[in-house]
Amino acid sequence: MARERVNWRDRFPEDVTCVRCLQKRSIEDLDRLLWCEECQAAAKRRATMRGWLAGASLAVVLALYIWLVIQPDLSLIPTGWAATLLVAFYLGSRVARELFLGWERLANRRAVEARPPSADVDSPPSST
Ligand SMILES: [Zn+2]
Protein backbone atom coordinates (compact mmCIF):
# COMPACT_ATOMS: atom_id res chain seq x y z
CA MET A 1 0.00 0.00 0.00
CA ALA A 2 1.50 3.28 -1.11
CA ARG A 3 1.70 5.87 1.64
CA GLU A 4 0.50 9.36 0.82
CA ARG A 5 3.24 11.92 1.18
CA VAL A 6 2.15 14.30 3.95
CA ASN A 7 2.26 17.93 2.95
CA TRP A 8 1.87 20.82 5.40
CA ARG A 9 -0.29 22.55 2.78
CA ASP A 10 -2.94 19.85 3.18
CA ARG A 11 -3.99 21.41 6.48
CA PHE A 12 -5.09 24.60 4.75
CA PRO A 13 -7.98 25.35 2.41
CA GLU A 14 -7.29 26.08 -1.26
CA ASP A 15 -7.25 29.88 -0.89
CA VAL A 16 -5.46 31.45 2.06
CA THR A 17 -4.82 35.06 3.02
CA CYS A 18 -1.19 36.14 2.90
CA VAL A 19 -0.33 37.45 6.36
CA ARG A 20 1.76 40.28 4.89
CA CYS A 21 -0.38 41.80 2.15
CA LEU A 22 -3.76 40.34 3.17
CA GLN A 23 -4.45 39.22 -0.42
CA LYS A 24 -6.16 35.90 -1.06
CA ARG A 25 -3.70 33.50 -2.64
CA SER A 26 -3.57 29.88 -3.57
CA ILE A 27 -1.90 27.86 -0.83
CA GLU A 28 0.60 26.70 -3.45
CA ASP A 29 1.90 30.28 -3.75
CA LEU A 30 2.52 30.71 -0.03
CA ASP A 31 5.40 29.52 2.09
CA ARG A 32 5.25 28.07 5.58
CA LEU A 33 4.89 31.50 7.18
CA LEU A 34 1.98 32.15 4.77
CA TRP A 35 3.91 34.84 2.90
CA CYS A 36 3.16 35.13 -0.81
CA GLU A 37 5.98 35.34 -3.35
CA GLU A 38 5.61 39.10 -3.81
CA CYS A 39 5.90 39.66 -0.07
CA GLN A 40 8.94 37.38 0.12
CA ALA A 41 10.53 39.30 -2.74
CA ALA A 42 9.72 42.63 -1.07
CA ALA A 43 11.26 41.48 2.19
CA LYS A 44 14.37 40.28 0.34
CA ARG A 45 14.68 43.60 -1.51
CA ARG A 46 14.36 45.53 1.73
CA ALA A 47 16.89 43.29 3.47
CA THR A 48 19.30 43.66 0.53
CA MET A 49 19.12 47.46 0.62
CA ARG A 50 19.64 47.53 4.37
CA GLY A 51 22.44 45.01 3.97
CA TRP A 52 24.30 47.19 1.48
CA LEU A 53 23.93 50.16 3.82
CA ALA A 54 25.20 48.14 6.76
CA GLY A 55 28.11 46.82 4.69
CA ALA A 56 29.02 50.33 3.58
CA SER A 57 28.86 51.52 7.19
CA LEU A 58 31.11 48.68 8.26
CA ALA A 59 33.60 49.51 5.50
CA VAL A 60 33.65 53.19 6.49
CA VAL A 61 34.21 52.34 10.16
CA LEU A 62 36.94 49.87 9.21
CA ALA A 63 38.57 52.46 6.92
CA LEU A 64 38.59 54.99 9.75
CA TYR A 65 40.05 52.39 12.10
CA ILE A 66 42.77 51.49 9.62
CA TRP A 67 43.48 55.13 8.84
CA LEU A 68 43.49 56.47 12.41
CA VAL A 69 44.52 53.55 14.62
CA ILE A 70 46.62 51.18 12.52
CA GLN A 71 48.11 54.01 10.41
CA PRO A 72 49.65 51.68 7.83
CA ASP A 73 52.34 52.72 5.40
CA LEU A 74 50.09 52.83 2.34
CA SER A 75 53.05 53.03 -0.02
CA LEU A 76 53.77 49.35 0.61
CA ILE A 77 50.60 47.38 -0.15
CA PRO A 78 47.72 49.78 -0.85
CA THR A 79 45.81 47.14 -2.79
CA GLY A 80 45.87 44.88 0.25
CA TRP A 81 44.13 47.50 2.38
CA ALA A 82 41.70 48.28 -0.42
CA ALA A 83 40.94 44.57 -0.77
CA THR A 84 40.39 44.38 2.99
CA LEU A 85 37.82 47.16 2.77
CA LEU A 86 36.13 45.59 -0.25
CA VAL A 87 35.87 42.22 1.46
CA ALA A 88 34.51 43.87 4.61
CA PHE A 89 31.94 45.71 2.50
CA TYR A 90 30.85 42.64 0.56
CA LEU A 91 30.82 40.12 3.40
CA GLY A 92 29.34 42.64 5.81
CA SER A 93 26.56 43.33 3.33
CA ARG A 94 25.81 39.65 2.83
CA VAL A 95 25.82 38.84 6.53
CA ALA A 96 23.73 41.91 7.36
CA ARG A 97 21.26 41.00 4.60
CA GLU A 98 20.78 37.55 6.06
CA LEU A 99 20.39 38.99 9.55
CA PHE A 100 17.85 41.58 8.42
CA LEU A 101 15.90 38.99 6.44
CA GLY A 102 16.06 36.50 9.28
CA TRP A 103 14.85 39.11 11.70
CA GLU A 104 11.97 40.04 9.43
CA ARG A 105 11.00 36.38 9.06
CA LEU A 106 11.34 35.81 12.80
CA ALA A 107 9.32 38.88 13.77
CA ASN A 108 6.73 37.97 11.08
CA ARG A 109 4.81 41.20 11.52
CA ARG A 110 1.31 41.04 10.12
CA ALA A 111 -0.10 43.11 7.27
CA VAL A 112 3.12 45.06 6.72
CA GLU A 113 2.71 44.96 2.94
CA ALA A 114 -1.03 45.53 3.04
CA ARG A 115 -2.38 48.63 1.34
CA PRO A 116 -5.90 50.01 1.45
CA PRO A 117 -7.73 49.22 -1.81
CA SER A 118 -7.93 52.90 -2.80
CA ALA A 119 -4.27 53.66 -2.07
CA ASP A 120 -3.14 52.63 -5.56
CA VAL A 121 -5.56 55.04 -7.21
CA ASP A 122 -5.31 58.05 -4.93
CA SER A 123 -1.63 58.29 -4.15
CA PRO A 124 1.59 56.76 -5.40
CA PRO A 125 2.72 53.81 -3.28
CA SER A 126 5.16 54.83 -0.61
CA SER A 127 8.52 53.13 -0.90
CA THR A 128 9.59 51.56 2.34
ZN1 LIG B 1 1.64 38.82 0.35
Side-chain angles (χ1 to χ4, degrees):
M1 194 165 73
R3 285 179 29 177
E4 285 282 326
R5 192 180 153 88
V6 177
N7 191 327
W8 63 271
R9 289 184 166 95
D10 296 341
R11 291 181 288 134
F12 291 96
E14 193 61 32
D15 286 330
V16 177
T17 303
C18 168
V19 297
R20 300 282 284 186
C21 63
L22 305 183
Q23 303 283 322
K24 281 255 186 213
R25 309 277 183 181
S26 165
I27 187 62
E28 296 298 325
D29 296 336
L30 302 180
D31 68 358
R32 285 173 181 266
L33 290 179
L34 301 181
W35 292 22
C36 70
E37 288 170 2
E38 286 88 9
C39 292
Q40 294 174 45
K44 285 176 186 168
R45 268 197 312 276
R46 212 169 18 245
T48 301
M49 286 304 301
R50 291 173 180 168
W52 287 127
L53 287 177
S57 304
L58 176 69
V60 166
V61 168
L62 185 63
L64 288 175
Y65 178 78
I66 290 172
W67 190 262
L68 299 174
V69 177
I70 300 178
Q71 296 179 340
D73 184 1
L74 288 178
S75 62
L76 290 179
I77 41 170
T79 53
W81 293 107
T84 301
L85 292 179
L86 274 178
V87 167
F89 172 61
Y90 181 72
L91 288 183
S93 299
R94 299 305 306 234
V95 169
R97 176 191 185 273
E98 293 304 315
L99 289 177
F100 283 127
L101 186 59
W103 173 252
E104 199 152 352
R105 299 281 290 176
L106 188 68
N108 197 13
R109 289 173 51 215
R110 308 295 193 223
V112 174
E113 312 285 353
R115 297 284 174 270
S118 61
D120 295 336
V121 180
D122 295 341
S123 62
S126 62
S127 59
T128 51

